[in-house]
Amino acid sequence: MAEDYYKTLEINRSATDTDIKKAYRRLALKFHPKSSKEAGSTDRLIQLGEAYEVLSDPRKKATYDKFGEEGLKGGIPPEFGSGGAWSSKYAYHGNPEKTFKQFFGGDNPFAVFYTNDAPLQFGGLQPVVVKTQDSPIERDLHLSLDDLFHGCTKKINIYRKVMNEGGYTSSIKDKVLSIDVSPGWKEGTRIVFSKEGDQGPNSIPADIVFIVRQKSHPLFERQHDDLISKLQISLEMALTGFSVNVPTLDGRLLNIPINDIVHFTYRKVVPGEGMPLFQDPSQRGDLIIHFDIQFPEKLSADRKHLIQQALK
């Protein structure tokens, strides 16, 4: 009796390649001797292996669809044959385990269904694979002090493996991730995109994590929510007073009078002119000005005398 491969795989003749793979996967797992208690499961696995091998091969399938099992196994009649592979006779190798292993991969056909040494139970239907998530993928996100002061939006293009329809093959596709930077973010802030890593048949995609790294700034250093500015002044200015102009990150120019005597540990604190607070951007840290006092390299005797008189 002629073999109906479509009936064996419980599909119709309009089935796609994906439908054929799904059908073989479901039935092969159902009737494999390691998971089935039904009598004759080995014979059924042989039938499934042969049917899948024929219908998953475009040339064999085309020959079978046009000439049936007789034409496939006996060769195409001379009046239709064109030589080569189209007219060659087909014979199944008779080893269903070989087909099973080639389909699922690996020497142990059931190894793919073991995760963390915990075997899965087979109930005649396609098993649910216990998946584990890949480790997070961490990348640095370099931001300027202006970005962290004002806030901004960064667009990052990533490339990752995405499983194709059917879940058996993958392709590389790109995706744009959008990061809304909030005013006041600090060095080390972590932005997590859940499960945006490479996709795989038996794993959960990794999270992609961006870690804020602050770029250096020509005028300011950041210390928590405060901004540190360093200015050079002369010894005369340190002793007699002066005023300084300090530009801000939001485009203003602060004129700050210094009426105290500036010594080595002196710091001028300007409240509310630092970085915005992440929890409440309407509040800000302080601006702290450090001074580097430049001493004269030489003094004449007259100048030394005048300084001595002035400091008495």
Side-chain angles (χ1 to χ4, degrees):
M1 183 176 178
E3 186 77 25
D4 187 336
Y5 294 134
Y6 291 98
K7 185 177 180 180
T8 298
L9 290 178
E10 300 179 3
I11 55 178
N12 57 45
R13 288 183 172 269
S14 63
T16 64
D17 184 60
T18 297
D19 295 332
I20 294 168
K21 286 184 172 68
K22 285 182 177 179
Y24 175 76
R25 180 185 183 90
R26 177 176 62 85
L27 293 171
L29 289 171
K30 178 179 179 180
F31 289 102
H32 194 282
K34 289 187 178 181
S35 61
S36 175
K37 296 181 181 180
E38 297 186 26
S41 60
T42 300
D43 294 336
R44 188 79 167 92
L45 195 65
I46 292 174
Q47 294 174 339
L48 292 169
E50 181 175 337
Y52 173 73
E53 190 169 275
V54 171
L55 297 183
S56 63
D57 184 293
R59 289 184 177 273
K60 294 184 182 71
K61 183 176 182 297
T63 303
Y64 174 74
D65 287 345
K66 188 170 185 178
F67 301 104
E69 185 182 6
E70 183 180 353
L72 178 70
K73 295 183 176 180
I76 300 173
E79 60 268 26
F80 295 101
S82 59
W86 278 95
S87 60
S88 60
K89 298 179 181 181
Y90 166 73
Y92 184 54
H93 50 68
N95 184 354
E97 288 291 339
K98 177 180 178 181
T99 307
F100 193 88
K101 291 177 182 179
Q102 288 175 341
F103 182 88
F104 289 101
D107 292 333
N108 179 0
F110 288 88
V112 71
F113 304 111
Y114 283 73
T115 303
N116 296 331
D117 299 324
L120 301 177
Q121 300 299 317
F122 293 87
L125 297 176
Q126 180 175 339
V128 177
V129 179
V130 177
K131 297 182 178 182
T132 57
Q133 188 173 23
D134 294 335
S135 299
I137 301 169
E138 297 185 349
R139 296 289 183 268
D140 289 340
L141 177 64
H142 294 277
L143 298 173
S144 69
L145 195 57
D146 294 89
D147 291 335
L148 296 170
F149 182 91
H150 297 285
C152 63
T153 298
K154 295 293 183 180
K155 303 286 186 180
I156 300 176
N157 199 33
I158 64 169
Y159 293 87
R160 59 178 186 155
K161 287 197 300 184
V162 177
M163 298 304 297
N164 298 326
E165 184 179 356
Y168 300 102
T169 59
S170 64
S171 56
I172 303 297
K173 293 187 178 180
D174 66 326
K175 183 174 183 178
V176 176
L177 301 180
S178 180
I179 300 177
D180 294 322
V181 178
S182 298
W185 274 8
K186 296 179 180 179
E187 174 93 6
T189 298
R190 298 169 68 89
I191 307 99
V192 179
F193 289 88
S194 179
K195 301 177 184 178
E196 290 290 358
D198 289 339
Q199 297 178 359
N202 299 308
S203 63
I204 300 171
D207 295 340
I208 296 181
V209 182
F210 291 96
I211 304 173
V212 171
R213 301 301 180 199
Q214 181 180 295
K215 299 178 183 178
S216 60
H217 191 274
L219 297 179
F220 300 107
E221 292 181 11
R222 183 179 184 177
Q223 190 175 83
H224 306 297
D225 295 317
D226 297 330
L227 290 175
I228 310 299
S229 177
K230 295 182 179 180
L231 299 177
Q232 287 187 348
I233 61 172
S234 66
L235 178 59
E236 177 190 356
M237 295 168 66
L239 296 176
T240 60
F242 58 98
S243 63
V244 293
N245 292 323
V246 180
T248 65
L249 292 173
D250 55 2
R252 294 174 295 122
L253 188 65
L254 299 178
N255 182 265
I256 302 170
I258 308 294
N259 299 315
D260 303 317
I261 292 177
V262 177
H263 48 78
F264 289 109
T265 60
Y266 180 85
R267 304 288 182 264
K268 179 66 176 179
V269 178
V270 185
E273 292 294 346
M275 293 292 292
L277 276 59
F278 170 66
Q279 298 84 350
D280 182 5
S282 65
Q283 302 295 316
R284 290 169 58 176
D286 299 332
L287 170 64
I288 302 174
I289 306 175
H290 295 196
F291 297 96
D292 179 15
I293 304 171
Q294 302 296 300
F295 283 75
E297 294 183 1
K298 294 181 180 181
L299 285 174
S300 65
D302 291 340
R303 287 180 178 274
K304 290 180 180 180
H305 178 70
L306 290 172
I307 292 174
Q308 289 172 345
Q309 294 298 318
L311 294 178
K312 283 183 178 180

